Amino acid sequence: MKRFAIGTFVALAGIFAATAQASLFTQLAVVKYADTEVVTVKEVKDIVDTQEKEAGRKLTPQEREQTYETIINQKLIMQAAKKANVTANASEIDQAFLANISQQLKLPRVYSEKELNDLVMANKKMTFAQFVKEETGMSVEEVKNQIIRPDLIWRRYLLSQNQEELQKIAATDKEIRDYYELNKTQFIRPDSLKMFLVAVPKKGDSSASRVKIEGLLKDLKAGKKTIDQMRREGQNPDAAGYGAADLFLMKVQQHAAQLGVSYERLLKIFEEDLNKPSEIMDAGEVWQFYQLLEKYPFKALEISDVIRPESTQTVYETIRALVTQSKQMQFLEQKRQEIIKSLNTADNVTRKKTGDDLLKLLSW
């Protein structure tokens, strides 16, 4: 009798598992504007899982329904983009991904994937891929294909459809000055410095690269090579065997990471004398040394001040670009909603589950 009960339990468990698996692939809707694409419970669940991880809570069935509608709208606009021959290749997607991550981490420029990996490893003690998985619940490739690629394509599509109107949108003088007054406390320049940095890549041969940078440092100290000469040669690192350029650093954590040192080390650099070559530093993949050229004290920026020493871009011009971009994005979002409304019709979307039947399937 006990054997029969166990066997029955196993059989029932198999039935329940098969039922759950089948419900995941239940079709909720069919989108058919330029292609035919189905929306399944699984597709909604995958995205909701990521949203719940970010929110730190379970979403209600009604909130999940909003996600489901967003999926439909995205498929519609992606099909419209495809019909208009708007695409994005792998290289463009990779660059957009790196730009997005660098912006999220508030880095001073767009980092390569290797630089991001080094940065995350130094600060989080994990690989960049692990960091992305922990933050988003998705792999790097999933983020690129499911988030970056659609975002890049629909933006290009909207731009292609509204280019002429978009070019007419610009910030007014009043909007720029109002923005400055409302955000005046954000326009500061921390203690900053201008540094001349020389780096020799190890390329698997640490000893030879060390000899190379020791020779460069010796030549600089002896006056055999000037900073101007090294700047010119360093612009072609493949031919010169080293890179050399001016670097502006602020007394902030992100710029310490950019230089490949701790924040405590950066503070000590700010205390060093000008025009005195540093010792050689091991920065992981490269040997490097530097020489401080100029220091700039903390400054609260007026609207006519330049954002960075030795640059020509003022606070006014920076705000103009920010406000103009914001107005353009608002315009594009309005156009996106108009396009979605025109596409999201019974002819283009067949909803197989609605009302309580839909909410029940979204209540896992």
Side-chain angles (χ1 to χ4, degrees):
M1 186 71 179
K2 187 181 291 185
R3 184 178 302 168
F4 173 77
I6 292 172
T8 302
F9 175 77
V10 171
L12 287 172
I15 292 170
F16 290 146
T19 302
Q21 187 76 0
S23 67
L24 282 177
F25 292 97
T26 299
Q27 293 186 6
L28 302 176
V30 179
V31 182
K32 48 185 179 177
Y33 175 63
D35 289 322
T36 299
E37 296 180 275
V38 298
V39 180
T40 64
V41 173
K42 182 180 185 304
E43 184 174 3
V44 178
K45 186 177 186 304
D46 286 345
I47 295 176
V48 165
D49 286 347
T50 299
Q51 292 175 328
E52 290 181 340
K53 180 178 175 63
E54 292 176 351
R57 66 174 179 85
K58 289 182 69 70
L59 300 186
T60 65
Q62 289 75 18
E63 289 173 321
R64 293 173 179 180
E65 184 180 11
Q66 292 174 8
T67 298
Y68 157 69
E69 290 295 335
T70 299
I71 292 171
I72 290 175
N73 291 337
Q74 178 171 290
K75 288 186 185 295
L76 284 167
I77 204 163
M78 289 295 286
Q79 288 188 19
K82 182 178 179 180
K83 195 170 184 179
N85 295 316
V86 177
T87 61
N89 60 40
S91 176
E92 292 166 335
I93 294 168
D94 288 345
Q95 190 59 31
F97 169 73
L98 295 174
N100 184 277
I101 292 291
S102 298
Q103 183 179 26
Q104 291 291 324
L105 296 178
K106 298 181 179 178
L107 299 173
R109 59 178 174 81
V110 177
Y111 277 32
S112 68
E113 198 157 326
K114 183 184 181 307
E115 287 176 315
L116 289 169
N117 190 72
D118 291 344
L119 179 62
V120 172
M121 185 63 74
N123 289 278
K124 300 285 188 179
K125 308 305 178 188
M126 65 175 69
T127 66
F128 177 59
Q130 290 170 332
F131 171 74
V132 172
K133 185 72 174 180
E134 184 176 280
E135 290 294 312
T136 67
M138 306 168 73
S139 70
V140 170
E141 287 306 311
E142 286 172 335
V143 171
K144 288 180 181 179
N145 291 323
Q146 297 178 30
I147 298 177
I148 301 299
R149 178 180 172 275
D151 185 71
L152 188 58
I153 289 176
W154 80 253
R155 287 179 188 277
R156 284 185 173 179
Y157 173 67
L158 290 176
L159 286 171
S160 70
Q161 299 297 303
N162 302 282
Q163 193 65 48
E164 188 174 335
E165 291 177 81
L166 200 64
Q167 289 176 348
K168 298 176 183 177
I169 298 173
T172 65
D173 179 73
K174 184 177 186 306
E175 288 171 335
I176 294 168
R177 295 185 183 278
D178 286 350
Y179 185 98
Y180 174 76
E181 290 300 323
L182 288 170
N183 300 277
K184 188 181 293 188
T185 57
Q186 297 180 21
F187 289 98
I188 61 171
R189 185 169 63 226
D191 290 340
S192 309
L193 59 79
K194 179 183 178 182
M195 167 191 291
F196 175 64
L197 182 68
V198 178
V200 175
K202 294 180 181 178
K203 293 184 178 179
D205 193 341
S206 183
S207 297
S209 56
R210 174 78 189 198
V211 170
K212 173 73 173 178
I213 199 162
E214 286 175 347
L216 290 168
L217 180 56
K218 183 179 179 180
D219 287 346
L220 180 62
K221 287 181 175 180
K224 291 183 178 180
K225 281 185 180 290
T226 65
I227 286 179
D228 284 340
Q229 181 182 354
M230 295 178 77
R231 278 195 193 102
R232 290 193 299 271
E233 292 177 353
Q235 290 178 358
N236 188 358
D238 291 336
Y242 70 96
D246 292 339
L247 188 66
F248 280 89
L249 294 176
M250 295 181 183
K251 199 181 284 185
V252 293
Q253 183 69 52
Q254 293 93 331
H255 285 200
Q258 180 185 355
L259 189 60
V261 299
S262 67
Y263 183 63
E264 290 72 21
R265 177 72 182 96
L266 181 66
L267 293 179
K268 290 180 180 178
I269 290 173
F270 269 82
E271 296 173 359
E272 295 176 10
D273 296 331
L274 297 177
N275 304 314
K276 181 181 177 181
S278 72
E279 298 300 317
I280 292 170
M281 300 185 301
D282 185 347
E285 297 297 317
V286 300
W287 297 106
Q288 61 186 30
F289 68 83
Y290 59 84
Q291 180 170 313
L292 304 188
L293 303 179
E294 193 65 68
K295 294 182 182 180
Y296 305 94
F298 172 93
K299 180 177 174 57
L301 300 175
E302 298 294 333
I303 197 168
S304 59
D305 286 334
V306 294
I307 287 289
R308 194 187 75 181
E310 300 187 21
S311 72
T312 58
Q313 184 174 352
T314 64
V315 172
Y316 184 94
E317 291 165 339
T318 301
I319 295 174
R320 179 170 57 193
L322 286 171
V323 175
T324 297
Q325 183 181 48
S326 177
K327 291 176 69 174
Q328 289 176 336
M329 292 306 297
Q330 290 174 15
F331 169 78
L332 288 176
E333 177 58 24
Q334 177 187 337
K335 289 298 181 181
R336 188 177 79 91
Q337 294 299 332
E338 291 175 4
I339 291 172
I340 286 172
K341 186 175 180 180
S342 70
L343 294 176
N344 199 336
T345 65
D347 289 338
N348 297 329
V349 181
T350 300
R351 286 171 168 76
K352 297 195 170 186
K353 302 292 180 180
T354 59
D356 290 341
D357 290 339
L358 174 63
L359 292 178
K360 186 177 179 180
L361 284 168
L362 298 179
S363 301
W364 55 80

